Amino acid sequence: MKLRLARPCIDCIVYSLAVFIPLATLICISNLASAQSTQPTLPAPIVITGADIRQAMSLNGEWATIVDPYSNGFSSYFRNQITEPGDNKLVEYNFAKSPTLKVPGDWNTQRDSLLYYEGTIWYQRDFSYQPKEHTHIFLHIGAANYKSWFWVNAKKVCEHEGGYTSFNCDVTDAVHAGANFMVAAVDNTRREDNVPTLKTDWWNYGGLTRNVSLIEVPEAFIDQYDLHLKRGEGSEIEGWVHVNGGKSGEDVQVEIPDLHAKATAKVGDGGLAAIHFEVSGLERWSPETPKLYKVKVSAGEDTLEDLIGFRTIETRGTEILLNGKPVFLRGVCIHAEAPYRTGRANTDKDAETLLGWAKEMGANYVRLAHYPHDETMLRAADRMGLLVWSEIPVYWAIQFDNPKVLAKAQQQLDEEIGTSRNHASIILWSMANETPNNETRTQFIETLAQHARELDGTRLITAALLVHNEGNTKVLDDPLGKALDVIGANEYVGWYEQTPAGADTTQWRIAYDKPLIMSEFGGGAKAGLHGPATQRWTEEYQADIYRHQIGMFNRIPQLRGLSAWILMDFRSPTRNLADIQDGFNRKGLISDQGQKKAAFYVLQKAYLAKTVGKAE
Ligand code: GCB
C-alpha cells in the first residue's frame, strides 16, 4: 500500500490578493510577477477520506461572480491596488454589485450566456467563523472544473488541477475570528495537456460544481483510512488508519458497535497504524443485502463515524467473484448529468433518481463514466446495493508521451482512490476509455494500473478497450489487456457499423482468459419518436439494437458483465443534429426529462428475467 498525502505544486504559481475595502465589496488582485517574488510556495491540497462526513460549515449558496474570459484578474488588477480605505485609485470591478451563481453548480446551466462558456470565472463570498484553538481548518472542495485557485482574506491558500475529484486546502492560518471572505478563480479552458484533453463527448461544465465547506479537525487528525474485509471465507477486517501529525506509539481505535468489535493499533513511523481484527456475525455487503455498518475511527482527539459495507471482490479464471461467488454484472453507464434539469449532477436527489432508474431496470451494477462522480453518488450506490465501475478521465487520445500528463492522471487516481476507498459499492478502478493502441499509450496506462494496485490491492483493475474487425469477428487483442484484471470492451454494432441484425452473426475472439465486460453498446433514439425499426433515431430502432445485442452476448462464454451506453441522454457539444440531438447525445435509455424509451424495457426484461448473461 502506498499512501500519497501531498503533491508538489504543479506550477508553483503564486498569486496574491491585496486589500479588501470594505469587506465583501471590493477585492484587488495583485500582479503575478510581484507576487511570485514575495510569496513562498504553497502547500499542495491534501486528500481526506470521508471529508463529507466531517463536522463542517457549508459554504454552499450564492457567490458573487465575475466572468473573466481573458483571465485578466490574474494580472491586471494589481494596477488598481488600494492601500488605504478612502484611497481614490481606479478600481474596475466590484463583487458586491456582480451577479451571483449558485454553488455547488456548473455555471453553464445557470445563465443562458454561459452555456458554452470556457474560461475563467471569479467567485467571492463572505462568511463568519469562530476558529477553535488547536484545530486545523480545511477548505473542502467537492470538485472545481478544471483548474482552480483560492484565497481567504486575501491570502492565497491553494490551487488545484483536475475537474472531478475532491481536495482540501489548509486555511488554518488564513481564517480569523469573525468576518472573513473568500475568493476563488475557476478556469475550464480545455487544453491539450489536460486530463481529459481537448475533445470529449460530454459537456465541459465549469465552476465549483460540487459542495464547498470548511471542515475543522484537531491538530493531529485522521486524513485517510482504509477498512475492508480480507479476501477469503473468514471475517477479518483489515486496513490502516493514517494520522496526519500523529506521533509514533499513539493509539488508534476502530469500533463497529453493532458487531461488538473493537481494534486498537499503534501509530507507527509516518503516522500509519495497521488494522486487523476478527469480527463475528458479519453480514456481507452485496446488491441483495447492502448492509452498512456504523464504524467509529478514533485517534487522540479525533473521532469520525463512517458507514461502511464489507465484501470481497476478486477474479478466478474468467469469473468475477463477489464474496467468493460468481456474479454477473447487469448494468448501465451513467454520466454525472442531472436528471430533469441537465447540468452537473451533485445532489442526493440526483443520485437517487439516476441509481433508482438503474435499479428499476434490474441492474446490480453501474459504470460511472468517464470521471470520478460525486461522493453522494457513491454513498447512494452503497445504500442502494449497486456495484460500481469508477473511472479517471484518461479518455481517447490524451498526451500519452507527456510525463506531465502522466503526473496529472496519477494525481487524479490518488484523489479518486484516496477519497472513495471505503465504498463497498466500488469494485472496479478503470484506468482509461477507448485509447489508441500503441506502445507509449500502453506504458502510460500500465504505470497507472501499477499505481492503482499499490494504492489499493483489494479491487479489480479494468479499462474500456477498442476492438477491431476481422470479417465478422470482433477481435480484442489490445496489449493493454495484460495489465488488467477485467477486460472492458466497447462496441456499437447496429449503430456506428452494420445493422442491428449484424449482431446475430458477429463472433468474438478475445486474447485474454479473463472476465470480459461489454463496457459500452447501444444506439441513439429521440424519446417519443416512433416509426419502423429500420428508421434511425426512432425508439423502435434503438430497441431493435438491444434485442439483437442480447442474442450476441449470450454467445460470448467469458462475458461477465454489461454496461449499456447509456442510462440517460446527456449534453454533448459534438451532437448537433437539429430536431433530434440538439446538443444531446441521445443514446440514453431514458431522456434527460425522464421519459423511458422502448429500449429501456427491452433491457429491463432481460435483466429482471436474467435471460442475458450467465445466471449466478
Ligand atoms: C464511446 C465513448 C463515449 C461516447 C459513445 C458514443 O465509445 O466511450 O464516451 O459518448 O461512444 O455515444 O458515441
Side-chain angles (χ1 to χ4, degrees):
M1 186 278 309
K2 192 158 123 193
L3 188 62
R4 285 268 192 113
L5 296 169
R7 298 177 316 279
C9 185
I10 288 175
D11 286 321
C12 293
I13 300 169
V14 181
Y15 301 107
S16 76
L17 282 186
V19 182
F20 178 73
I21 305 173
L23 199 64
T25 57
L26 208 62
I27 294 165
C28 295
I29 300 154
S30 80
N31 149 284
L32 168 60
S34 68
Q36 262 177 329
S37 56
T38 53
Q39 291 257 338
T41 304
L42 284 171
I46 69 162
V47 176
I48 297 184
T49 319
D52 63 319
I53 51 163
R54 286 282 188 176
Q55 184 77 25
M57 187 185 98
S58 173
L59 292 174
N60 291 345
E62 297 294 327
W63 288 55
T65 52
I66 296 174
V67 180
D68 184 14
Y70 289 8
S71 293
N72 202 37
F74 287 112
S75 54
S76 21
Y77 290 148
F78 77 99
R79 287 196 309 269
N80 311 323
Q81 208 172 112
I82 292 177
T83 48
E84 293 286 328
D87 193 333
N88 194 24
K89 287 194 179 149
L90 173 66
V91 175
E92 295 188 87
Y93 66 103
N94 183 346
F95 276 117
K97 297 214 161 160
S98 297
T100 61
L101 283 169
K102 193 168 129 304
V103 173
D106 60 275
W107 59 55
N108 313 73
T109 56
Q110 293 194 57
R111 219 181 273 166
D112 288 348
S113 61
L114 297 178
L115 183 62
Y116 285 96
Y117 183 72
E118 295 186 313
T120 302
I121 290 190
W122 293 84
Y123 288 77
Q124 186 274 342
R125 67 160 290 160
D126 297 339
F127 63 98
S128 64
Y129 204 77
Q130 293 304 329
K132 294 194 198 83
E133 291 216 329
H134 309 298
T135 57
H136 269 299
I137 308 161
F138 284 95
L139 170 63
H140 172 72
I141 311 290
N145 190 32
Y146 172 82
K147 260 192 117 171
S148 51
W149 299 258
F150 298 86
W151 295 262
V152 172
N153 298 325
K155 186 174 163 50
K156 172 96 181 277
V157 289
C158 70
E159 60 186 69
H160 179 265
E161 178 164 356
Y164 301 96
T165 43
S166 77
F167 55 96
N168 306 274
C169 311
D170 193 337
V171 296
T172 316
D173 295 338
V175 171
H176 46 238
N180 293 265
F181 69 99
M182 187 174 301
V183 171
V186 184
D187 178 6
N188 71 336
T189 305
R190 286 170 296 118
R191 295 187 202 282
E192 209 169 353
D193 61 350
N194 284 355
V195 180
T197 182
L198 294 172
K199 195 164 169 195
T200 61
D201 187 19
W202 72 85
W203 210 268
N204 180 23
Y205 290 124
L208 296 169
T209 54
R210 297 182 189 162
N211 291 330
V212 178
S213 61
L214 288 176
I215 57 182
E216 201 172 76
V217 294
E219 268 170 353
F221 66 99
I222 300 157
D223 54 3
Q224 292 193 38
Y225 52 98
D226 182 323
L227 297 166
H228 58 265
L229 188 62
K230 188 176 173 184
R231 282 181 184 153
E233 302 207 331
S235 292
E236 185 179 343
I237 291 174
E238 59 175 14
W240 47 265
V241 174
H242 184 266
V243 187
N244 191 313
K247 289 201 188 74
S248 187
E250 276 176 358
D251 278 351
V252 168
Q253 281 196 349
V254 176
E255 192 184 344
I256 308 179
D258 282 358
L259 294 174
H260 307 290
K262 204 180 204 168
T264 306
K266 297 269 180 228
V267 172
D269 288 344
L272 210 57
I275 305 291
H276 294 276
F277 61 123
E278 283 288 338
V279 295
S280 62
L282 177 81
E283 192 182 334
R284 290 181 175 223
W285 185 98
S286 74
E288 295 74 33
T289 56
K291 171 76 183 165
L292 300 176
Y293 288 94
K294 198 188 282 176
V295 179
K296 251 172 98 173
V297 186
S298 23
E301 305 278 287
D302 197 17
T303 299
L304 57 89
E305 218 174 77
D306 207 342
L307 270 178
I308 303 181
F310 295 97
R311 52 99 195 101
T312 61
I313 192 77
E314 60 203 306
T315 62
R316 187 180 56 211
T318 60
E319 297 289 356
I320 298 175
L321 304 178
L322 175 68
N323 293 321
K325 295 193 206 84
V327 63
F328 190 91
L329 309 178
R330 294 181 174 81
V332 64
C333 298
I334 302 181
H335 256 298
E337 181 87 20
Y340 300 108
R341 66 171 197 278
T342 79
R344 188 53 72 227
N346 51 19
T347 65
D348 281 332
K349 193 156 177 262
D350 293 338
E352 276 172 11
T353 302
L354 292 167
L355 297 182
W357 283 334
K359 293 280 291 185
E360 187 184 337
M361 209 171 71
N364 60 1
Y365 145 74
V366 289
R367 174 183 176 205
L368 301 183
H370 279 300
Y371 37 77
H373 286 217
D374 195 316
E375 196 75 30
T376 57
M377 197 71 172
L378 301 169
R379 296 245 175 236
D382 283 350
R383 269 196 318 272
M384 294 166 80
L386 282 157
L387 298 160
V388 167
W389 159 317
S390 178
E391 179 160 312
I392 48 169
V394 174
Y395 182 87
W396 294 348
I398 65 166
Q399 281 187 344
F400 290 110
D401 57 353
N402 182 342
K404 282 196 184 144
V405 171
L406 178 61
K408 292 178 189 191
Q410 275 187 338
Q411 176 201 318
Q412 295 190 28
L413 202 54
D414 286 340
E415 291 171 345
E416 177 198 38
I417 296 180
T419 50
S420 11
R421 61 188 331 144
N422 292 303
H423 293 290
S425 53
I426 301 179
I427 54 167
L428 290 155
W429 297 126
S430 168
M431 301 297 107
N433 179 73
E434 289 185 356
T435 51
N437 177 357
N438 61 60
E439 226 177 281
T440 319
R441 177 290 319 239
T442 304
Q443 261 179 27
F444 183 106
I445 298 175
E446 277 173 1
T447 309
L448 289 181
Q450 171 67 22
H451 187 63
R453 285 203 171 88
E454 284 169 8
L455 291 170
D456 177 12
T458 73
R459 289 181 173 84
L460 307 176
I461 304 295
T462 192
L465 305 182
L466 290 164
V467 293
H468 60 95
N469 296 331
E470 282 180 18
N472 66 351
T473 300
K474 296 236 155 252
V475 181
L476 197 166
D477 57 3
D478 186 327
L480 182 55
K482 280 195 211 85
L484 309 177
D485 300 313
V486 174
I487 313 284
N490 292 356
E491 57 86 12
Y492 283 91
V493 175
W495 189 252
Y496 292 125
E497 54 172 337
Q498 307 182 59
T499 60
D504 302 350
T505 50
T506 299
Q507 304 299 318
W508 282 77
R509 196 170 76 233
I510 297 133
Y512 302 98
D513 219 16
K514 298 182 180 185
L516 173 75
I517 295 179
M518 210 57 85
S519 36
E520 285 181 28
F521 55 96
K526 184 170 176 177
L529 183 67
H530 293 284
T534 47
Q535 188 187 331
R536 278 203 186 245
W537 303 110
T538 60
E539 290 194 27
E540 288 72 12
Y541 186 97
Q542 187 191 34
D544 203 37
I545 294 179
Y546 278 86
R547 278 193 203 96
H548 288 282
Q549 290 278 311
I550 288 167
M552 179 183 76
F553 295 148
N554 284 335
R555 286 184 283 109
I556 309 175
Q558 73 195 77
L559 189 73
R560 292 295 173 269
L562 296 169
S563 25
W565 189 260
I566 187 168
L567 182 70
M568 194 189 80
D569 291 352
F570 59 96
R571 277 191 198 274
S572 171
T574 67
R575 307 290 178 174
N576 294 312
L577 177 63
D579 259 0
I580 300 281
Q581 294 176 313
D582 300 314
F584 284 81
N585 183 315
R586 294 289 182 205
K587 295 190 190 72
L589 295 162
I590 302 177
S591 79
D592 52 288
Q593 295 306 311
Q595 300 151 272
K596 297 191 176 97
K597 305 179 194 174
F600 176 92
Y601 298 104
V602 173
L603 202 58
Q604 182 190 49
K605 198 167 158 211
Y607 280 180
L608 290 177
K610 300 198 175 170
T611 50
V612 64
K614 195 165 168 270
E616 295 92 342

